[in-house]
Amino acid sequence: MLILLPPSEGKAAHGTGPAVGDLSFPTLARPRTRVVNALVKASRRRDALDVLGLSPGQAAELDKNLALKTAATLPAAELYTGVLYDNLGLSRMDEQARARAEESVVIFSGLWGVLRITDRVPPYRLSMGVSLPPMGALAAFWRPLVTKELDRLAGLAVDMRSATYAGAWKAGARGVAVRVLKDGKVVSHMAKATRGEIARRLLESAADPSTPDELAKVLDELGYAVRLAPGRIDVDVT
């Protein structure tokens, strides 16, 4: 089983380890360097905030981007601090669940393409939704590169990504998107918390569903109200 996650806008303030080195999915090394160089260059522009889709109050984020090549790093498991990751609770998992997370979780990133939770990277700010000169739309840039990597991996792809990041890889028939509903309506903020909780409980349960039907059964056994539809599973949190 693969658990596909977006990153989070919320990140740890700084790392504690050496500058970024080798990462998982090593065939992405060269395109990662290209994006890092492009981001550093874009962050120096007078219109950097507009290019990167940031507000004036987020100007300090540019300093993180400018320091990317030498900044201290920390594991992705500790870098992302948003609602989804708070509910995923990687730091609170026992040894067995944490090992399953290291094997199963794939984090999508506008800067790095895809990461494992053990990859050490510095704090940064770059959404997959940005059109970054000169490569353009990052989801389109990463898609063929990430596809070559992830198509080689076996297992059901349990997709917890937002739409922005879902565009970077289409899992096809082996994928099932987790959609969160309340009172029959799709929710956003609560969806992040619920997806993080579902990912944690799947990892702690040692479940390894290989089909959407098996996933629906596992979630039902975990106490969720679910409904299976083509390509997705709806979780009702009413």
Side-chain angles (χ1 to χ4, degrees):
M1 176 179 60
L2 299 178
I3 296 178
L4 313 180
L5 301 181
S8 65
E9 290 189 4
K11 297 179 181 68
H14 52 78
T16 57
V20 66
D22 294 336
L23 301 174
S24 58
F25 307 104
T27 63
L28 300 181
R30 292 182 67 182
R32 283 167 173 157
T33 298
R34 286 184 60 195
V35 178
V36 166
N37 289 339
L39 179 57
V40 171
K41 185 175 181 179
S43 297
R44 293 194 181 109
R45 293 172 50 149
R46 290 185 178 182
D47 62 346
L49 295 177
D50 290 335
V51 171
L52 300 179
L54 303 178
S55 68
Q58 296 171 312
E61 299 292 291
L62 299 178
D63 293 333
K64 297 176 183 178
N65 292 343
L66 293 172
L68 274 173
K69 296 180 183 179
T70 58
T73 61
L74 69 169
E78 300 172 20
L79 174 66
Y80 299 111
T81 61
V83 172
L84 187 153
Y85 287 88
D86 287 344
N87 284 270
L88 176 58
L90 290 166
S91 65
R92 304 188 298 273
M93 287 183 179
D94 61 29
E95 184 176 346
Q96 290 76 22
R98 176 64 179 239
R100 286 190 286 271
E102 292 177 3
E103 182 178 349
S104 298
V105 171
V106 177
I107 301 171
F108 283 69
S109 165
L111 181 56
W112 310 108
V114 282
L115 296 168
R116 294 292 196 177
I117 66 170
T118 52
D119 284 327
R120 298 188 66 96
V121 293
Y124 66 94
R125 187 59 177 261
L126 181 65
S127 169
M128 187 72 83
V130 166
S131 181
L132 184 67
M135 54 272 304
L138 287 171
F141 171 80
W142 283 117
R143 189 179 304 122
L145 303 166
V146 167
T147 295
K148 288 181 181 179
E149 289 295 315
L150 298 189
D151 280 357
R152 298 171 182 163
L153 302 182
L156 179 70
V158 182
D159 195 348
M160 310 282 193
R161 297 172 296 170
S162 57
T164 300
Y165 291 87
W169 182 54
K170 303 297 185 182
R174 61 183 287 204
V176 56
V178 176
R179 192 173 71 160
V180 180
L181 307 178
K182 183 176 183 180
D183 298 326
K185 298 180 180 179
V186 176
V187 294
S188 55
H189 183 78
M190 184 180 293
K192 295 178 182 179
T194 301
R195 286 169 175 159
E197 177 188 280
I198 288 173
R200 173 176 54 79
R201 296 190 68 188
L202 285 173
L203 294 166
E204 290 176 342
S205 72
D208 190 19
S210 58
T211 67
D213 285 335
E214 289 180 8
L215 175 63
K217 182 179 179 181
V218 169
L219 293 181
D220 179 72
E221 291 173 349
L222 290 173
Y224 292 99
V226 300
R227 182 173 65 255
L228 194 60
R232 74 169 193 266
I233 188 165
D234 291 341
V235 179
D236 193 338
V237 295
T238 302

